[in-house]
């Protein structure tokens, strides 16, 4: 693996040229998707997911601990203390990601670390979010919402925020610079506190990119809240089915998919040569590449939604109805691209933050073959779960015969995404 400054100068990286046969990778992926599609068409004729109504209630004592004001206050305090430590590292620390833990804290512990944290514990950033804590510390006069939050806004602010963050790590001139990060953190904090002062604390749920990101991934957590408010243990696909169909949901997921795809392609020698020789310059060219990747993912999904509507008949919201099925695909891409980086650079960042000298070089947790298998399995499993989620939603919305036929465009979409995802991994 490259050294930390190289990784963080790019933002975050992934490993390519893995020792696995492309034929077996693609054949296995196609077989998994086709078998899943055929099995669902033959055996799954009625909807089985119950969304927020599902789940086995956990013991009341455990729920009381989870909801205890003292625990929630401690978590908010922890989030604020860590955020202040990162801010001070950016302000006072050296402008060198090999000696300053702040870039690693942002690009590795926060961005990638929210994935396993949200999968295991639910939407944890809602409690740790230092922006919420800072807002609650404002004078009461500044915490009175002055306007209702427009419903049509939905998750569009979060989608824009996620795109801005991925642009920072993948296209900005110097993403690991302390000056760059300090400026971005200050502007981001000021903007969100000002918007929260206008719309109230509910702004953070859809306006803060990281909170929306954590909440979306937490839909696949085995821990969740039932519609009656109880803390439950559930089938993650039931939680996924409870994803609200809101404006901006498609954009949010497409930004996650497209930016991860661009990150994988950005290490390709031909693209590196394009960046170095483009008359536009590196940053504008990288920005166009990132926009193109997100737009391509979104265009393919929109074409698929239009085909589903053509086959199955009119539906008021074909785009948002199946958007939840893209979440496990995005999760599979995130795991495939960033697992190795997180388990190597995450500990390095923590050791650096604790002031330990001579931090050990990161060691891959798996051999090349094991890592290749994990990455391909993550991508394929994400697509198979997406097929299952989309099929269950389809048989709920349409008659069985049309529902199965309507899955053909979604199957074609999953195959297309799979070819792209595995192709980027094998490079």
């Amino acid at each position: 693996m490259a050294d930390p400054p190289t990784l963080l100068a790019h933002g975050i990286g992934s490993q390519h040229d893995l020792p696995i046969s492309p034929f077996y990778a693609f054949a296995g992926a196609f077989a998994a998707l086709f078998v899943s599609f055929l099995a669902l068409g033959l055996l799954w004729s009625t909807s089985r997911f119950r969304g927020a109504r599902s789940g086995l209630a956990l013991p009341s004592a455990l729920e009381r601990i989870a909801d205890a004001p003292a625990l929630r206050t401690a978590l908010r305090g922890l989030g604020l203390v860590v955020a202040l430590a990162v801010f001070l590292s950016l302000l006072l620390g050296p402008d060198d990601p090999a000696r300053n833990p702040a870039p690693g804290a942002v690009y590795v512990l926060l961005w990638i670390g929210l994935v396993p944290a949200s999968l295991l514990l639910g939407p944890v950033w809602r409690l740790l979010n230092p922006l919420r804590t800072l807002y609650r510390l404002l004078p009461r006069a500044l915490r009175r919402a002055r306007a209702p939050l427009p419903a049509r806004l939905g998750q569009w602010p979060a989608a824009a925020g996620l795109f801005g963050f991925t642009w920072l790590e993948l296209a900005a001139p110097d993403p690991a610079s302390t000056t760059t990060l300090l400026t971005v953190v200050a502007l981001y904090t000021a903007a969100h506190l000002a918007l929260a002062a206008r719309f109230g604390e509910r702004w953070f749920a859809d306006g803060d990119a990281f909170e929306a990101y954590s909440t979306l991934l937490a839909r696949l957590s085995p821990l969740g809240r039932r519609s009656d408010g109880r803390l439950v243990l559930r089938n993650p696909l039931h939680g996924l089915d409870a994803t609200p169909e809101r404006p901006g949901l498609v954009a949010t997921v497409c930004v996650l998919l497209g930016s991860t795809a661009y990150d994988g392609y950005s290490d390709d020698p031909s693209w590196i040569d394009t960046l170095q020789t483009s008359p536009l310059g590196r940053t504008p060219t990288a920005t166009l590449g990132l926009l193109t990747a997100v737009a391509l993912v979104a265009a393919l999904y929109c074409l698929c939604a239009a085909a589903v509507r053509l086959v199955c008949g009119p539906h008021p919201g074909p785009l948002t109805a199946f958007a939840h099925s893209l979440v496990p695909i995005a999760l599979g891409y995130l795991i495939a691209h960033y697992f190795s980086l997180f388990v190597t650079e995450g500990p390095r960042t923590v050791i650096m933050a604790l002031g330990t000298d001579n931090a050990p070089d990161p060691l891959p947790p798996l051999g090349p073959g094991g890592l290749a298998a994990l990455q391909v399995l993550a991508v394929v499993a994400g697509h198979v779960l997406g097929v299952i989620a989309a099929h269950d939603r389809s048989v709920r919305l349409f008659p069985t015969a049309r529902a199965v036929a309507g899955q053909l465009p979604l199957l074609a979409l999953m195959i297309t995404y799979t070819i792209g995802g595995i192709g980027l991994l094998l490079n």
Side-chain angles (χ1 to χ4, degrees), residues 52 63 67 224-232:
E63 185 173 350
D67 293 336
R225 294 281 179 177
R226 212 163 50 192
S227 54
D228 59 3
R230 290 297 306 273
L231 183 66
V232 297

Side-chain angles (χ1 to χ4, degrees), residues 1 7-8 11-15 104-118 120 213 334-350 362-365 371 375:
M1 293 184 66
L7 284 172
L8 292 174
I12 45 182
S14 55
Q15 185 168 336
V106 173
Y107 292 122
V108 179
L109 297 182
L110 173 60
W111 177 242
I112 310 176
L114 273 180
V115 176
S118 301
L120 293 174
Y213 170 60
L334 289 168
I335 293 174
H337 281 274
Y338 304 136
F339 166 79
S340 181
L341 180 70
F342 178 69
V343 297
T344 54
E345 293 304 320
R348 179 199 288 273
T349 300
V350 173
L363 296 175
L371 182 59
Q375 292 179 313

